[in-house]
Amino acid sequence: MMANRPFVWAFIATAGVLVALAIAAALLSLSGVVFSVFAAIFITLGLDPLVRWFERHGMRRGFAIVTVILLFVVVIAGMLWLLVPLVISQAAAFIASLPDLYAKLQQQDWYQDAVSGSGGVIGNVYAWFVDLLADPTTWATIGGGALNIGIAIIGGISSGFFIFVLTIYFTATLDTSKAAIYTLISASHRERVVGYAERIMQNVGRYLSGMVILAFFNAVYSFILLTLVGQPFALVISVAAFFITLIPLIGTVLTTIVMTALSLFVSPTAALIVLVAMLVYMQVEAYILTPRVMSKAVQVPGSIVLIAALAGGTLAGLPGALVAIPVAAGILLIVKEVVVPWKART
């Protein structure tokens, strides 16, 4: 066609490019909706092991699904009613009190010794960091302005509600939806594809539920530890630690650094206690908690975790980093169960 009818070929190629660009633009405009759907699917897969746990203990699947949905609703409602207002108030108080905390920090002997020993570099860095966090224009700049911040908050609330409703629906209709999707697969390959798909979804669900359990342990431990050392903003820091430690391998390290640095506002002794206690906790988590909680989930090598977290975080921030690791776990399972045996046969 290119040789005999070049103009027709050029027209068809141009039309194909335009259609591809239109599809890409449509997907880009619907990126928020697509992300919400995938987030609801991942949450549903994370709740599915709990449904199966109730089934193994003698509960019918219908009652197990209703029980898990009610627990999910109660947890979300409790967070919105009790936890979120406290976290918001503590976060606002923390930002407002940063200048006073820094002023008290400057009066401590160890800080003055550190500043004099570094030629004033540490003092300048701390002053810049505190001023940056305490300046309201910083948050407005990050959000692209006050209007964009308001739009982002409203969008986040609406997306959260959308994900919440979708999660309930997906949890209630998970088996029906999977059965409907499996009918689209040719009968000759259906049994094999269904087997792999079920294993992937079970492993991803176990991985997600395991990470939530580990992050919850970390957040509770961080809250108790920070409260004991006298950190006045222990709640907001521990809540932030919960979401950060959902990223395995690097999440606990990041929260340890942040918690130790913020404990310096209390005293160097408090920071040392927090650092030592978190180092001990990391060993307990690595050798006791993680093997027990994640024993049935597919194991992801540390290098893959770092690459997936970095790629997902670059594309979609913290939610992208959280979603990327279960995706990597699913891909690894496909490679292990499909690609490697196929290569061995050929």
Side-chain angles (χ1 to χ4, degrees):
M1 181 180 293
M2 186 185 299
N4 298 329
R5 298 179 180 178
F7 292 105
V8 175
W9 181 87
F11 177 80
I12 294 175
T14 303
V17 172
L18 292 176
V19 170
L21 291 175
I23 294 174
L27 291 177
L28 185 62
S29 62
L30 294 174
S31 59
V33 177
V34 174
F35 176 80
S36 299
V37 171
F38 276 100
I41 291 174
F42 276 104
I43 295 174
T44 301
L45 293 178
L47 294 176
D48 188 58
L50 184 59
V51 175
R52 296 178 183 274
W53 183 85
F54 280 119
E55 286 185 286
R56 289 196 301 269
H57 287 76
M59 188 177 291
R60 292 184 179 179
R61 181 165 181 83
F63 290 110
I65 291 174
V66 173
T67 302
V68 171
I69 291 176
L70 290 177
L71 289 175
F72 181 67
V73 172
V74 169
V75 169
I76 298 298
M79 290 178 59
L80 293 176
W81 183 40
L82 298 175
L83 191 59
V84 173
L86 292 175
V87 171
I88 293 176
S89 61
Q90 272 208 6
F94 173 69
I95 295 174
S97 63
L98 274 175
D100 294 334
L101 293 174
Y102 179 63
K104 294 179 181 178
L105 182 67
Q106 288 177 305
Q107 298 175 2
Q108 299 185 25
D109 295 335
W110 72 268
Y111 179 81
Q112 296 176 2
D113 295 337
V115 171
S116 60
S118 63
V121 174
I122 294 180
N124 292 332
V125 172
Y126 262 103
W128 171 82
F129 181 69
V130 171
D131 292 339
L132 183 68
L133 291 180
D135 189 359
T137 58
T138 299
W139 306 102
T141 302
I142 294 174
L147 179 61
N148 287 342
I149 290 178
I151 295 175
I153 293 174
I154 295 174
I157 294 174
S158 61
S159 297
F161 180 75
F162 182 56
I163 293 172
F164 174 73
V165 174
L166 274 181
T167 301
I168 294 177
Y169 175 78
F170 288 159
T171 303
T173 61
L174 182 60
D175 285 348
T176 305
S177 301
K178 290 191 296 185
I181 294 174
Y182 292 153
T183 58
L184 301 177
I185 304 171
S186 59
S188 58
H189 302 288
R190 186 176 301 166
E191 183 178 357
R192 185 180 180 187
V193 172
V194 169
Y196 287 136
E198 289 292 334
R199 290 189 60 186
I200 290 173
M201 286 186 287
Q202 289 178 12
N203 277 280
V204 170
R206 291 167 181 165
Y207 192 92
L208 290 171
S209 59
M211 289 310 305
V212 170
I213 293 172
L214 292 175
F216 177 76
F217 287 158
N218 191 304
V220 172
Y221 179 82
S222 300
F223 176 74
I224 296 173
L225 177 61
L226 292 173
T227 302
L228 291 177
V229 299
Q231 173 57 253
F233 304 104
L235 179 61
V236 65
I237 297 173
S238 60
V239 171
F242 171 81
F243 291 101
I244 296 175
T245 50
L246 286 173
I247 305 176
L249 192 67
I250 59 175
T252 305
V253 176
L254 292 176
T255 55
T256 299
I257 295 172
V258 173
M259 289 167 55
T260 303
L262 293 177
S263 297
L264 286 172
F265 288 107
V266 179
S267 69
T269 303
L272 181 61
I273 293 173
V274 169
L275 177 61
V276 173
M278 288 305 297
L279 290 176
V280 172
Y281 175 81
M282 283 194 287
Q283 302 305 312
V284 174
E285 182 184 65
Y287 294 103
I288 298 178
L289 296 179
T290 300
R292 290 179 178 272
V293 174
M294 307 290 285
S295 59
K296 295 183 179 180
V298 62
Q299 299 299 315
V300 183
S303 58
I304 302 298
V305 169
L306 291 175
I307 295 172
L310 180 60
T314 302
L315 293 174
L318 180 59
L322 301 181
V323 171
I325 298 169
V327 170
I331 294 174
L332 284 177
L333 186 62
I334 293 176
V335 172
K336 179 181 178 181
E337 299 291 338
V338 179
V339 177
V340 173
W342 176 66
K343 287 293 185 181
R345 290 193 302 268
T346 57

